Amino acid sequence: MRAVRTKQLSSVPLGRGVRADIRNLLRSPSTRIKQVQQIHARFVVRCYPPPSLYACNSVLFAYARSPLPSQAFAFFATQMRHVKPTTVTFQFLLKACSRSTSLVQTSQIHPLTLKLGFCLYTFLQNAIIYCYGLCGQLVDARRVFDELTHRDVVSFNSMIHGYAAVGDMNSASDLFAQLPEPNIVSWTALVTGFANKGDVFEARRVFDKMPERDLVAWNAMISGYVQNRHPVQALNLYNQMQIEKFNPNTITITSILSACANVGALDIGKWIHVYLNKNNVLLDPFMGSSLIDMYSKSGAVDLALQVFENLPEKNTCTWNAMINGLAMSGHTRETLELFNKMQLDGSVRPDEVTFVGVLLACSHGGFVEEGKRHFYCTMKQYGVVQLVEHYACIVDLLGRSGQLKDAEEVIRNMPIEPDIVVWRALLAGCRLHKSVALAEKVVSEMEAKSSGDFVLLSNLYASVGRWDGVENMRKTMIHKGIKKIPGCSSIVLDNTIHEFISGDKSHPRYSEIIAKLAELGRKANSDGYYAEVSSVLYDIDEEEKEQSLGHHSEKLAIGLGLISTAPGSPLTIMKNLRVCDDCHSMTKFISRICNREILVRDRIRFHRFKDGFCSCNDYW
């Protein structure tokens, strides 16, 4: 019976149903792999008469743009023996190669095109160059490029893109210089390449030289600034883009939301949110996560929660964004409550990022036993592998609570090599609890190379009056060529970002700022404030120490905010380093004297100062 049935089926010609299915696939903006596989199966069953070249090419095209593009090669191997492939056939196969980044398939398709005499088709050889470039096989790509009898701008762009992708900007620039008429794609490839290599200055030079720009070019430069931690330049460029009447797309918006998050540009972030709503842009989990991250890092965790609650669809990324946002803002109980909701929801499973937020919240809130339970039990319950980030959190948790021996024991027993962040977590605990001997051992074992590590130990020496230790740290830093990273703080006023470096006197309102800080200093002194001079690294007299502390970057930013905004309005300050003890103490006094809520986000966490108190409860 089975043989008879097979014979009957195979004798049925390829009918209108398959042709209709193919037409629908070609019209569809996205291809579902199940649909393509069903048509593929019908080809296999109805092998007589053999399918037409058009039908086979159509299925190849559908496979190439499906979630499983590599399936195109299996179809080609089984079905294309019935028909003679054309340049269109290989065009679709190479599209599948590029989407699957398959070097094996590219290296098989390439000689086949030569064997069939397609080496003179420039568009096909360009696709081969591009595929080799995507796979990082630049030697093969360049050989194809050099052997081309006719090169067009796409040939050059494919090769430039390949060099830029691997960071060989010298070769990319040399080819660019040989282009008779570079187009937007040529320039954009260079911008992206320089930005990915970290050279945003050269990327901007190329960008500024472009005779014309499209949205892709703008996005390349803006995202380049963001990924290289130049958020202010990204926002400035975004303003210029708006002036030149370019409408942002989702890529632009994601980059700008990240820039807003980095500098706390809440008003710009809110404008982006309004823009999305006005243009009826559906907040998918990806865009929703970006908004949550922006609001959280800008100190508006209540707005982040609103976005989270109103999202039509949540995935692990959105849950993680909200959990980590709450944790960073010091809302420990709310973080743990949301984590419990995530567990009860059951639609998503906690992952490595989830537990970073959970452990961070426990550390910032001093929830030692809760943190231990999640680290030793809950993570194993979900099968989450403990990464170095989790160890850094548990060491930080134990170190902050004074359990320095336990924290050190955790590091000694780590199944993976502790990195510099783990050691720094222990070093911070040593500073907090003034354990000089352990701090010295930590700095020695961690092979400290960052100025922050030496500064932490220097501050510890200074706090216990060990000025010889401070001097030795200074000499060590000089000998190793390590320069202290200057404190940098920023405040956004009327959509303008004002940046301050510690001791910098260049701001046009500097004299007014200093006068305001001096006035507040006198009032704070009468209220019981004493300068935390241990934060100053050198053994200078007390008056000089107090003056040095008065020029810290966050104080300058707060001073500008006080003289530039209405009485009683809140201030938001961003700082690149940890807030020092004195600035923390002084800001508490300022919040009470001026009746202001002052939010300071430093390298570690948020501090919300109000009525003379800080949300961290002096535990940071």
Side-chain angles (χ1 to χ4, degrees):
M1 290 292 291
R2 182 175 300 174
V4 173
R5 185 181 180 189
T6 302
K7 185 177 180 181
Q8 289 173 338
L9 284 173
S10 63
S11 65
V12 179
L14 190 68
R16 296 179 181 176
V18 176
R19 289 198 294 270
D21 288 343
I22 291 173
R23 283 196 298 270
N24 290 334
L25 279 175
L26 295 176
R27 292 193 192 105
S28 174
S30 62
T31 303
R32 294 181 180 178
I33 189 64
K34 187 175 180 181
Q35 293 175 297
V36 196
Q37 288 174 332
Q38 286 173 346
I39 294 177
H40 185 169
R42 291 166 74 178
F43 274 147
V44 173
V45 173
R46 301 181 178 186
C47 59
Y48 181 81
S52 68
L53 176 61
Y54 170 79
C56 288
N57 283 346
S58 298
V59 174
L60 280 179
F61 175 66
Y63 266 133
R65 64 175 184 172
S66 75
L68 292 175
S70 59
Q71 293 289 329
F73 310 118
F75 178 81
F76 176 76
T78 59
Q79 294 301 308
M80 295 302 286
R81 65 179 180 270
H82 302 296
V83 295
K84 185 178 180 180
T86 64
T87 55
V88 175
T89 308
F90 287 103
Q91 192 174 3
F92 295 158
L93 283 172
L94 288 167
K95 180 179 177 65
C97 287
S98 67
R99 291 204 57 225
S100 59
T101 321
S102 173
L103 177 59
V104 173
Q105 301 299 342
T106 302
S107 59
Q108 290 177 349
I109 297 297
H110 177 208
L112 197 52
T113 63
L114 301 179
K115 181 180 178 181
L116 293 173
F118 295 148
C119 56
L120 297 179
Y121 290 86
T122 302
F123 75 93
L124 207 58
Q125 298 306 305
N126 289 343
I128 292 171
I129 294 170
Y130 183 73
C131 288
Y132 275 134
L134 285 179
C135 300
Q137 205 71 10
L138 273 302
V139 174
D140 290 331
R142 186 58 187 257
R143 185 171 65 249
V144 177
F145 177 83
D146 290 338
E147 291 175 354
L148 277 175
T149 55
H150 171 70
R151 301 186 191 111
D152 58 14
V153 68
V154 179
S155 311
F156 279 89
N157 288 348
S158 299
M159 201 64 236
I160 290 170
H161 181 275
Y163 280 130
V166 298
D168 186 357
M169 297 311 298
N170 289 331
S171 298
S173 299
D174 288 344
L175 273 183
F176 180 83
Q178 298 175 33
L179 252 174
E181 295 182 6
N183 60 14
I184 292 178
V185 177
S186 318
W187 293 89
T188 305
L190 283 185
V191 171
T192 303
F194 281 119
N196 288 341
K197 201 173 179 181
D199 192 350
V200 291
F201 301 104
E202 187 63 22
R204 182 59 187 266
R205 187 186 69 80
V206 174
F207 178 82
D208 288 339
K209 282 188 173 182
M210 293 177 70
E212 57 177 331
R213 308 181 188 101
D214 59 6
L215 186 58
V216 177
W218 285 98
N219 285 345
M221 193 64 245
I222 290 172
S223 64
Y225 274 136
V226 173
Q227 73 188 38
N228 286 286
R229 299 183 180 181
H230 293 283
V232 175
Q233 290 88 333
L235 292 172
N236 289 337
L237 190 62
Y238 175 65
N239 289 335
Q240 183 181 336
M241 179 183 129
Q242 288 183 301
I243 293 171
E244 297 190 23
K245 307 299 182 184
F246 281 90
N247 292 322
N249 62 7
T250 54
I251 296 174
T252 323
I253 289 169
T254 302
S255 295
I256 293 303
L257 286 175
S258 180
C260 291
N262 287 332
V263 297
L266 182 58
D267 289 340
I268 299 175
K270 284 181 177 179
W271 183 90
I272 292 289
H273 194 179
V274 170
Y275 175 87
L276 293 173
N277 290 334
K278 281 186 176 180
N279 288 274
N280 297 316
V281 177
L282 180 65
L283 288 184
D284 59 12
F286 181 74
M287 188 64 70
S289 299
S290 297
L291 272 174
I292 291 168
D293 186 63
M294 181 276 297
Y295 278 131
S296 297
K297 289 181 178 178
S298 299
V301 72
D302 52 336
L303 296 178
L305 280 167
Q306 287 181 22
V307 173
F308 177 79
E309 295 295 342
N310 293 325
L311 278 177
E313 179 188 355
K314 300 181 181 72
N315 62 10
T316 306
C317 290
T318 52
W319 283 93
N320 287 348
M322 196 65 253
I323 286 172
N324 280 271
L326 286 167
M328 186 173 56
S329 300
H331 298 285
T332 300
R333 295 189 186 279
E334 292 84 350
T335 303
L336 298 177
E337 287 173 4
L338 187 62
F339 176 61
N340 289 334
K341 286 183 181 179
M342 181 183 188
Q343 292 177 290
L344 293 172
D345 181 88
S347 61
V348 296
R349 285 177 63 84
D351 63 8
E352 294 86 354
V353 180
T354 314
F355 282 100
V356 169
V358 170
L359 294 173
L360 188 66
C362 292
S363 176
H364 285 173
F367 285 33
V368 179
E369 295 307 315
E370 187 89 359
K372 286 181 177 179
R373 180 170 64 82
H374 288 305
F375 182 78
Y376 290 109
C377 300
T378 316
M379 290 186 70
K380 293 180 180 179
Q381 174 188 335
Y382 285 100
V384 175
V385 178
Q386 290 171 338
L387 305 178
V388 69
E389 292 85 357
H390 302 122
Y391 282 98
C393 288
I394 197 68
V395 169
D396 187 59
L397 170 68
L398 296 171
R400 287 174 186 271
S401 64
Q403 300 178 39
L404 297 177
K405 288 185 178 179
D406 291 342
E408 184 182 9
E409 192 66 20
V410 168
I411 297 178
R412 303 295 179 198
N413 294 324
M414 283 177 62
I416 52 180
E417 188 72 21
D419 68 357
I420 196 87
V421 178
V422 176
W423 286 112
R424 282 174 184 164
L426 180 56
L427 184 60
C430 294
R431 183 205 62 82
L432 187 63
H433 297 284
K434 301 189 187 308
S435 178
V436 176
L438 181 56
E440 290 175 331
K441 185 165 69 170
V442 168
V443 169
S444 174
E445 290 198 37
M446 71 193 292
E447 298 181 357
K449 297 178 181 178
S450 168
S451 65
D453 306 318
F454 290 100
V455 169
L456 267 177
L457 185 54
S458 294
N459 284 338
L460 178 54
Y461 282 136
S463 68
V464 296
R466 286 272 307 275
W467 298 110
D468 59 328
V470 174
E471 181 61 22
N472 286 336
M473 285 296 98
R474 187 181 70 84
K475 289 179 179 178
T476 300
M477 291 175 69
I478 293 173
H479 176 71
K480 293 189 175 185
I482 299 171
K483 295 183 179 180
K484 184 178 181 296
I485 299 174
C488 177
S489 298
S490 63
I491 183 172
V492 181
L493 300 171
D494 296 327
N495 290 335
T496 301
I497 301 170
H498 300 261
E499 288 188 310
F500 293 89
I501 304 295
S502 291
D504 183 13
K505 302 180 180 180
S506 62
H507 196 277
R509 302 188 69 183
Y510 178 77
S511 58
E512 297 175 70
I513 294 169
I514 291 301
K516 185 64 176 180
L517 291 176
E519 173 195 336
L520 291 171
R522 290 189 293 271
K523 291 181 179 179
N525 286 333
S526 64
D527 284 352
Y529 161 75
Y530 294 97
E532 296 281 350
V533 293
S534 63
S535 298
V536 181
L537 297 183
Y538 303 107
D539 189 12
I540 54 181
D541 63 52
E542 299 299 305
E543 184 177 351
E544 286 181 284
K545 289 179 183 177
E546 290 191 21
Q547 185 178 18
S548 173
L549 291 169
H551 293 77
H552 278 192
S553 63
E554 57 264 57
K555 286 180 181 173
L556 297 174
I558 290 172
L560 177 63
L562 292 173
I563 63 176
S564 304
T565 58
S569 57
L571 302 178
T572 300
I573 311 296
M574 300 291 165
K575 185 175 181 181
N576 66 329
L577 303 176
R578 179 186 178 276
V579 173
C580 76
D581 294 339
D582 181 72
C583 287
H584 193 270
S585 176
M586 182 61 179
T587 307
K588 287 195 293 185
F589 278 94
I590 292 175
S591 69
R592 185 172 68 224
I593 293 169
C594 299
N595 191 27
R596 297 265 194 153
E597 181 177 312
I598 303 173
L599 183 72
V600 178
R601 192 187 90 195
D602 69 6
R603 183 173 56 84
I604 298 175
R605 65 175 299 164
F606 274 99
H607 300 266
R608 192 178 298 273
F609 299 91
K610 188 175 182 180
D611 300 326
F613 297 94
C614 179
S615 58
C616 75
N617 295 317
D618 299 338
Y619 188 81
W620 89 102

